[in-house]
Amino acid sequence: MAITLMNPDGLPKIDVYRQVSVATGSRLVFVAGQVSWDADGVTVGEGDLAAQVERCCLNAGTALAAAGGSFDDVAKLTVYVVDWTPEKMPLLLEGMARAGARLGGAPVPPATLIGVAALDVPEHLVELEVMAVLE
C-alpha cells in the first residue's frame, strides 16, 4: 500500500480518522467533491444526512476504482456539511459506517470537517473531497 496511517504519541487518538498519513506512491489522484447524486444526476437521500454521506462515499469509491484505487489509498478527506452542528456527528458517522460496510472498510485517513452555508444545490447536505496516492 502507498498509504500508512498513524496516530502519533502526543496527539489525540480519534476513532473515526487518523492524525497522519504517509504517502509513498508515485501517482496522485484528486477526486472532485462528490455529492449524493446517482449516475443520472438525481439526488439520493434528500433531507437525510446519513444517506447522503453514504452516497458521497460510494461515489468517491467509484471514482477511486476508476483510477485503480480504493479508500485504502486515500491520504486525505475533506468533508463539507451544510449548517454543521456537533449534533449531526452521529448521522455523519452512520453514513460513513454504512458506506464502509459496502466498500469493505470505513475510510479513516486524516480528515477535515468544514461547516458551510450551502453547496451546489439546496438538496445537497454534504460533499466529500478525496486525495489519494497510488503506487
Side-chain angles (χ1 to χ4, degrees):
M1 283 292 139
I3 303 295
T4 301
L5 302 175
M6 63 180 86
N7 275 324
D9 290 338
L11 294 176
K13 306 296 188 256
I14 309 295
D15 290 335
V16 297
Y17 66 89
R18 301 298 176 262
Q19 296 284 3
V20 176
S21 68
V22 178
T24 58
S26 59
R27 293 189 307 139
L28 300 177
V29 179
F30 300 92
V31 177
Q34 294 300 301
V35 293
S36 61
W37 278 332
D38 66 13
D40 296 319
V42 175
T43 297
V44 173
E46 190 169 336
D48 182 341
L49 180 60
Q52 289 200 18
V53 169
E54 179 182 11
R55 185 59 192 219
C56 289
C57 290
L58 295 175
N59 288 350
T62 297
L64 289 165
S70 72
F71 267 100
D72 290 337
D73 302 303
V74 174
K76 176 76 169 70
L77 290 175
T78 304
V79 182
Y80 303 91
V81 181
V82 174
D83 297 326
W84 174 257
T85 62
E87 292 77 26
K88 294 180 180 179
M89 184 61 82
L91 294 171
L92 180 86
L93 296 177
E94 177 187 337
M96 293 196 95
R98 289 183 347 206
R102 292 178 67 183
L103 293 168
V108 295
T112 300
L113 174 62
I114 301 171
V116 296
L119 292 169
D120 58 332
V121 297
E123 297 81 22
H124 291 158
L125 304 175
V126 63
E127 185 166 335
L128 181 73
E129 184 179 62
V130 177
M131 292 183 278
V133 179
L134 306 178
E135 294 188 54

